[in-house]
Amino acid sequence: MDHLIWKSFGRNDDRARTGRPREFDRDRAIDAATALFWAQGYEPTSLNQLKACMGNISPASFYAAFGSKEALFREVVQRYLDTYGQVMAPLWDESLSPREAIERTLRCSARMQSARTHPAGCLVVCGASNCSPQNEPVQALLAAERQRTRTGIRACVERAIANGELNASPAIDVLPDILTTFFHGMTCEARAGMRSDTLDAAVTSLLTLWDINAVKRGTAKRPKKKLTD
């Protein structure tokens, strides 16, 4: 883990060779902060650790660049969503069938969360799970993103019912909750060291819940029904 956070920062040899201070690279600093917040979470990560991983920048430079630890974290979350978090994009891609959108999201997320090239798990799930009340805005930020995932999964299931791909039934009413719980639970398993192939096999098994409720070809469609929250 350390080499991910520290490999680009905290070295003094550039200044020793050139006699000039190194230029502050804001993008690289945010990448380093992302790795640190992802590995440790928001509250356990100290300002000293952040300044160190960004190249031992001074407090004045830190506040000039980012304003506060919370403001930096918000930038980190956006950077994460724009990069690693794109595994969620299929949920909103209506060119995909609802089942394919769900499957791509789960399989891509399983590979991303269990990769060894960055901290394991999902930053949105684990980044602020242990914050004290004074950091409620940070918890709310990530809670809103998790709710967006729930909404995306539910929309896929509702679209499948509307398209006649799934039978409306009590089992389907709870399918979005099952899929969301599995998605969020992958973070715990990935952080515990579960391999990508094991998670992928679990996705295959989970999707049988979709398949056994799929409308069979040649059968009459049941009345369309909107899922209840």
Side-chain angles (χ1 to χ4, degrees):
M1 184 73 66
D2 288 348
H3 74 283
L4 295 173
I5 300 173
W6 307 108
K7 66 180 180 179
S8 299
F9 302 97
R11 298 178 59 189
N12 295 318
D13 51 343
D14 288 345
R15 181 168 182 168
R17 286 196 303 268
T18 65
R20 298 190 306 273
R22 288 165 296 142
E23 182 178 349
F24 177 66
D25 187 324
R26 199 174 193 282
D27 283 338
R28 292 174 68 191
I30 292 175
D31 286 341
T34 298
L36 192 57
F37 278 130
W38 193 350
Q40 299 185 172
Y42 178 78
E43 199 157 281
T45 299
S46 70
L47 281 173
N48 284 339
Q49 289 175 318
L50 288 167
K51 289 182 291 183
C53 83
M54 291 175 176
N56 294 312
I57 63 175
S58 68
S61 295
F62 177 89
Y63 288 112
F66 304 107
S68 68
K69 176 182 171 182
E70 180 180 330
L72 169 61
F73 185 72
R74 290 178 180 276
E75 286 199 49
V76 160
V77 171
Q78 191 58 55
R79 174 68 58 86
Y80 177 87
L81 294 174
D82 291 341
T83 53
Y84 301 101
Q86 287 301 298
V87 295
M88 309 302 297
L91 290 179
W92 296 277
D93 184 353
E94 294 196 2
S95 70
L96 303 174
S97 71
R99 189 191 186 284
E100 186 179 2
I102 292 287
E103 182 171 11
R104 284 194 187 185
T105 296
L106 291 177
R107 293 197 192 282
C108 290
S109 185
R111 288 194 294 273
M112 185 278 288
Q113 292 196 51
S114 58
R116 296 296 179 259
T117 54
H118 53 68
C122 172
L123 173 64
V124 170
V125 174
C126 63
S129 60
N130 56 347
C131 284
S132 52
Q134 59 263 36
N135 289 315
E136 190 277 335
V138 170
Q139 291 179 307
L141 171 68
L142 298 190
E145 289 300 326
R146 293 193 296 273
Q147 182 57 44
R148 184 169 181 267
T149 296
R150 292 186 188 95
T151 300
I153 290 173
R154 181 169 291 276
C156 284
V157 175
E158 290 184 342
R159 184 159 62 94
I161 295 171
N163 292 344
E165 298 172 34
L166 284 177
N167 286 309
S169 68
I172 290 302
D173 284 349
V174 299
L175 183 58
D177 299 322
I178 294 170
L179 293 169
T180 301
T181 300
F182 179 90
F183 171 76
H184 289 155
M186 281 198 294
T187 287
C188 293
E189 299 305 326
R191 289 175 78 89
M194 186 173 285
R195 292 163 50 99
S196 174
D197 56 351
T198 303
L199 286 171
D200 196 65
V203 170
T204 299
S205 181
L206 176 67
L207 288 173
T208 62
L209 294 175
W210 183 292
D211 296 335
I212 63 177
N213 288 282
V215 174
K216 302 299 186 291
R217 291 183 179 179
T219 61
K221 296 180 181 179
R222 298 186 180 183
K224 297 174 182 179
K225 173 186 173 185
K226 183 175 176 64
L227 294 180
T228 56
D229 290 325

